[in-house]
């Protein structure tokens, strides 16, 4: 710890055999209400929530989208007013009610004694300021430190959270870092002044499994070393099972179940002391969580999909897509790569795979492995540096002009983030109708409106959703609009790039069920790109594993998950 380090006195460990000091309450939330006034009346986002958090302990708050988790988390730092909310109740921090403090007093606490990791680091970090500058600002706001000392501390923090080459990355802009590194930078900023309480809102959402494991290990280590209290807000039961001491399950603004993690996640019996845990909503969350086990539910899915039948993912089906020696190089220029002489980064380094008609191929790998770059080349949003992409007998890489436009009618893509891939200024109906306008289909207004209605209905949306903007839809509804747009032209191949990465488990289950249904009804061929091995286990006939731009293993679903051949595949599993 250097001269910018924190000398805040922390309680000593309890003596052996005694009651551990970590159980002393640090934060007490008492009957918290957060309402949003609307023309139709007040929306009760948080409706009478109470809990305590002890020093050195972790509380996991879980629930699906719209349950009030994030609003509750923001209210703990008295940030509810930034959302236009009306707040009632008490948030007692070391004897002081945070909701009654003046803004000046709150600013002195935020980032010092209490800190927060926000859900989306790309939007939470300032895009025009370097990462190091944002961390030093957090330090100097609460500590008398020179710019040089604060910068040194920022490099130490980046090293602490596991960012490679921290002395160079400290000068990077947020967009120059991968998703995992941005999340680590956000954690570094939150830990800058060694807070007593850290609130982590979906800290591992959209991160691949290896980075997720690293982030959870980091949070556990820092909690234990700094003796912080930790509130973990997430929809992922697997994450809270790894880290939480207690779990509170939220539904429609209320805590419907609260207790020790082992009890809430168990099926009852001795672990729960005979207590009747497992509220119906908790049970629904558990059922919706995909697993790596095949089990009877997956067997039923396979049977419904016609696995093994000729023409549906079977070896005798003719290839629809063949990728041969595909390469993509990006020239080195500026940014965090500045200083290297010439050359290029080989994001995809000569890969080969084939996708048969009616088959689902899962493409998995960690962040930066080349999965999304491959997807964008397949749909020709990126130009390959070398290699062939043969689709239905034609080399897509060689097509230009009208021929390429015609080929694109047969390939649909669902992007990872529907919030950024949907035009915020157009309503859902207009977004779905856009492919018709581009390709000159359904010129009659009535016919186009009818076609849009059918597409929205097919993906499980109502007629009323046609006239809503993306920000007026939930995450799951936005993803359904994106799927409807991808299906508008009746494609033979659907490329789904992380279609469920930012969705809670219940919505994720709905989207996966929709994709299975569409594949079965429309005879779609599906290239499913994901970092979530459990999702791919439920969906794919075969799986290709990517690492550092190369495919290191391709196998059928059962073989890959029960007898993986490559060490990297075993590491992912």
């Amino acid at each position: 710890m250097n001269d910018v380090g924190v000398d805040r006195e922390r309680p000593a460990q309890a003596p052996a055999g005694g009651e551990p000091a970590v159980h002393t309450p640090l934060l007490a939330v008492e009957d918290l209400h957060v309402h949003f006034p609307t023309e139709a009346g007040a929306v009760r986002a948080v409706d009478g929530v109470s809990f305590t958090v002890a020093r050195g302990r972790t509380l996991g708050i879980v629930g699906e989208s719209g349950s009030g988790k994030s609003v509750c988390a923001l209210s703990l730092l008295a940030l509810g007013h930034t959302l236009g909310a009306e707040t009632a109740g008490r948030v007692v921090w070391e004897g002081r009610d945070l909701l009654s403090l003046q803004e000046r007093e709150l600013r002195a606490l935020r980032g010092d004694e209490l800190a927060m990791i926000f859900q989306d680091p790309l939007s939470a970090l300032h895009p025009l300021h370097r990462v190091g500058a944002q961390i030093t600002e957090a330090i100097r706001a609460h500590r008398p430190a020179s710019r040089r000392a604060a910068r040194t501390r920022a490099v130490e923090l980046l090293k602490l959270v596991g960012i490679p080459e921290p002395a160079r990355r400290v000068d990077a802009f947020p967009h120059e870092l991968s998703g995992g590194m941005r999340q680590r930078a956000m954690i570094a900023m939150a830990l800058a002044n060694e807070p007593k309480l850290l609130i982590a809102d979906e800290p591992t959402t959209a991160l691949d499994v290896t980075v997720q494991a690293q982030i959870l290990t980091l949070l556990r280590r820092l909690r234990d070393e700094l003796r912080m209290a930790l509130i973990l807000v997430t929809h992922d039961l697997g994450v809270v099972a790894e880290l939480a001491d207690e779990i509170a399950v939220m539904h429609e603004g209320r805590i419907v179940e609260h207790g020790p993690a082992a009890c809430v996640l168990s099926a009852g019996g001795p672990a729960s002391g005979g207590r009747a845990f497992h509220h119906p909503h908790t049970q629904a969350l558990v059922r919706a969580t995909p697993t790596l086990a095949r089990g009877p539910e997956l067997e039923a899915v396979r049977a419904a999909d016609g696995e093994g039948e000729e023409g549906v993912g079977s070896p005798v089906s003719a290839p629809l897509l063949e990728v041969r020696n595909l390469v993509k190089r990006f020239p080195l220029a500026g940014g965090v790569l500045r200083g290297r002489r010439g050359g290029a980064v080989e994001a995809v380094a000569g890969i080969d795979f084939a996708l048969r008609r009616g088959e689902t191929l899962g493409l998995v790998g960690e962040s930066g492995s080349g999965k999304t770059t491959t997807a964008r080349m397949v749909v020709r949003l990126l130009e390959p540096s070398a290699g062939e992409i043969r689709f239905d007998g034609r080399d897509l890489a060689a097509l230009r002009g009208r021929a390429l436009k015609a080929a694109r009618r047969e390939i649909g893509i669902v992007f990872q983030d529907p919030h950024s891939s949907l035009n915020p200024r157009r309503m859902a109906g207009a977004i779905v109708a856009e492919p018709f306008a581009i390709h000159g289909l359904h010129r009659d207004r009535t016919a186009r409106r009818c076609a849009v209605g059918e597409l929205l209905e097919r993906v499980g949306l109502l007629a009323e959703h046609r006239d809503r903007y993306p920000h007026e839809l939930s995450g799951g509804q936005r993803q359904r609009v994106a799927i409807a747009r991808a299906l508008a032209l009746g494609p033979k191949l659907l490329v789904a790039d992380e279609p469920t990465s930012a969705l809670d488990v219940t919505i994720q289950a709905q989207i996966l069920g929709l994709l299975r249904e569409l594949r079965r009804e429309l005879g779609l061929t599906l290239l499913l790109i994901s970092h979530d091995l459990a999702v791919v286990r439920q969906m794919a006939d075969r799986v290709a594993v990517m690492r550092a731009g190369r495919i290191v293993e391709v196998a059928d679903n059962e073989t890959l998950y029960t007898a993986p051949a490559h060490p990297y595949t075993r590491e992912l599993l």
Side-chain angles (χ1 to χ4, degrees), residues 74 163 235 320 352:
L74 289 170
I163 289 184
H235 65 258
L320 178 67
D352 300 272

Side-chain angles (χ1 to χ4, degrees), residues 196-253:
K196 296 178 182 178
L197 171 66
L198 179 63
I199 302 168
D201 187 7
E202 299 280 11
T204 60
T205 292
L207 298 181
D208 61 69
V209 287
T210 51
V211 176
Q212 182 182 89
Q214 293 163 11
I215 294 293
L216 293 178
T217 300
L218 172 65
L219 288 175
R220 183 187 298 107
R221 177 169 61 82
L222 294 173
R223 177 198 64 187
D224 296 341
E225 289 180 0
L226 303 178
R227 295 180 55 73
M228 295 185 304
L230 177 61
I231 296 178
L232 186 62
V233 181
T234 182
H235 65 258
D236 191 332
L237 290 176
V239 169
V240 293
E242 284 284 322
L243 206 56
D245 300 298
E246 294 186 5
I247 295 176
V249 181
M250 286 193 71
H251 180 57
E252 296 182 348

Side-chain angles (χ1 to χ4, degrees), residues 120-199:
D120 180 9
L122 188 59
S123 60
L125 295 171
H126 198 297
L128 300 181
H129 292 177
R130 299 181 191 276
V131 167
Q134 297 183 61
I135 297 175
T136 57
E137 181 183 20
I139 295 171
R140 300 185 74 212
H142 298 281
R143 299 285 178 270
S146 67
R147 291 185 182 276
R148 176 174 293 183
R151 177 184 169 86
T152 301
R153 174 64 175 155
V155 173
E156 288 180 359
L157 286 163
L158 293 178
K159 182 179 181 180
L160 176 70
V161 298
I163 289 184
E165 301 182 86
R168 189 156 58 87
R169 304 285 186 185
V170 75
D171 291 321
F173 290 99
H175 72 271
E176 296 176 312
L177 302 178
S178 70
M181 286 196 284
R182 282 196 296 267
Q183 192 66 285
R184 289 167 185 264
M186 176 72 68
I187 294 173
M189 189 184 308
L191 295 174
N193 297 303
E194 296 189 8
K196 296 178 182 178
L197 171 66
L198 179 63
I199 302 168

Side-chain angles (χ1 to χ4, degrees), residues 56-67:
R57 304 281 286 178
T58 299
L59 170 68
I61 302 178
V62 301
E64 60 188 354
S65 289
S67 62

Side-chain angles (χ1 to χ4, degrees), residues 52 205 312 335 345 431 458 476:
T52 62
T205 292
V312 184
V345 171
I431 291 171
R458 180 176 287 278

Side-chain angles (χ1 to χ4, degrees), residues 363-398:
L363 188 60
V364 302
E366 61 189 347
S367 227
S369 62
K371 306 185 304 295
T372 294
T373 300
T374 298
R376 290 174 178 266
M377 285 192 288
V378 166
V379 298
R380 282 294 303 276
L381 290 176
L382 282 177
E383 293 293 325
S385 301
E388 292 183 43
I389 306 168
R390 301 200 67 82
F391 176 75
D392 214 7
R394 295 164 290 175
D395 184 5
L396 284 179

